[in-house]
Amino acid sequence: AMPTSGMAMGEWLDGPFGPDAAKGRTFAVQRTVLMAVHSVTAGTRLADIWPLLESDHRVQLIFTRPPGALMARGTDQFLAGLGGVVLPWNQALQLPFDLAIAASHGHLDRLHAPVLTFSHGIGFSKLNVRYQGPGHEAPLEVSGMERAGLVSHGRVIPSAIVVPTQWARRTLADAIPEAASVAVVGGDPCFDRLAVSLRQRNRYRRALGVGNRKLLVISSTWGAGSLLERCPEILSRLVRSLPE
């Protein structure tokens, strides 16, 4: 991938993509793949995916940030740190790609590419937060199964939806049958990486300076109903409970 140069707002970038891709290529690339990174959280999930493609010289990876993510702060810095080709969103909308990969929803129907989506969390495990406003309350949708993110104008947006288990596929089928028709049970890349990393457990503990002490890892989602919202003192309480 080409290194990213500083770019002014609205600047059109040239590189190994689009109609003039051959002018900027080093390898005889056969496919160009767009990684649509909505947020840092989605980006860290996609970081389990793109190394599988990056090592193949037949594939050119391009990155872009779709707009509208609720928690987009830090995403531009995250992408800049990758050292790859980062296209402005408006330019990405004007170019065809052989595949677009995302770990979140939003504006993917505007891309000129078949879309492959992954979950950016642990699956269909929580209801969305209900926003405050004057409109009448409606039933909450399950996070990751929002109809507006999966179906638009009578067409399913993703060409393939990777789900971790058969249970997740059945759950999606109950909520949005037409979207479940393109669901593929592909496991969880994050879980796979954790499983493979078990053999490196002692190395990680040394790097973290744990020694013989117990290491606690706390995970919380965001918003109302999350672990930190319901129990904001949990971190300090757990730290106090640890032996000296």
Side-chain angles (χ1 to χ4, degrees):
M2 293 175 57
T4 304
S5 59
M7 57 185 180
M9 183 66 68
E11 180 181 351
W12 188 272
L13 298 185
D14 294 318
F17 44 81
D20 293 324
K23 296 179 180 179
R25 284 178 175 167
T26 300
F27 298 103
V29 174
Q30 299 178 22
R31 298 288 186 271
T32 303
V33 177
L34 181 70
M35 308 297 297
V37 183
H38 291 75
S39 64
V40 174
T41 300
T44 56
R45 294 290 288 190
L46 290 173
D48 288 320
I49 308 300
W50 69 60
L52 304 175
L53 301 172
E54 190 176 35
S55 60
D56 191 333
H57 291 162
R58 298 170 299 176
V59 178
Q60 174 67 54
L61 285 186
I62 307 292
F63 296 86
T64 192
R65 178 176 69 84
L70 182 62
M71 298 181 181
R73 183 175 180 179
T75 309
D76 290 334
Q77 293 86 338
F78 175 84
L79 292 175
L82 298 177
V85 183
V86 182
L87 281 185
W89 173 249
N90 287 337
Q91 183 175 353
L93 293 180
Q94 304 302 314
L95 300 174
F97 297 94
D98 296 294
L99 179 67
I101 302 177
S104 191
H105 301 145
H107 303 284
L108 299 177
D109 56 314
R110 301 180 62 191
L111 295 172
H112 298 288
V115 175
L116 171 66
T117 63
F118 291 82
S119 170
H120 70 254
I122 60 172
F124 309 134
S125 58
K126 68 171 188 175
L127 295 175
N128 281 316
V129 174
R130 175 175 284 117
Y131 291 170
Q132 299 297 318
H136 188 70
E137 288 188 358
L140 292 174
E141 295 180 292
V142 175
S143 179
M145 292 198 301
E146 301 89 344
R147 175 171 288 276
L150 294 173
V151 180
S152 177
H153 294 84
R155 185 177 298 276
V156 178
I157 297 170
S159 295
I161 303 170
V162 177
V163 295
T165 63
Q166 291 289 355
W167 174 87
R169 187 176 185 176
R170 291 193 298 269
T171 302
L172 181 60
D174 290 340
I176 313 176
E178 60 271 38
S181 67
V182 298
V184 178
V185 179
D188 186 335
C190 182
F191 176 83
D192 292 343
R193 180 161 55 86
L194 288 170
V196 170
S197 297
L198 282 174
R199 68 190 69 174
Q200 301 292 335
R201 180 174 182 269
N202 291 333
R203 180 181 177 184
Y204 295 147
R205 290 178 62 83
R206 287 195 300 269
L208 292 170
V210 175
N212 294 324
R213 294 171 295 176
K214 180 177 292 186
L215 173 64
L216 297 180
V217 178
I218 308 299
S219 178
S220 174
T221 187
W222 64 277
S226 67
L227 174 62
L228 287 178
E229 190 269 341
R230 289 184 291 109
C231 190
E233 75 286 354
I234 188 170
L235 295 177
S236 57
R237 192 176 72 192
L238 287 173
V239 169
R240 290 194 302 268
S241 69
L242 292 173
E244 295 293 335

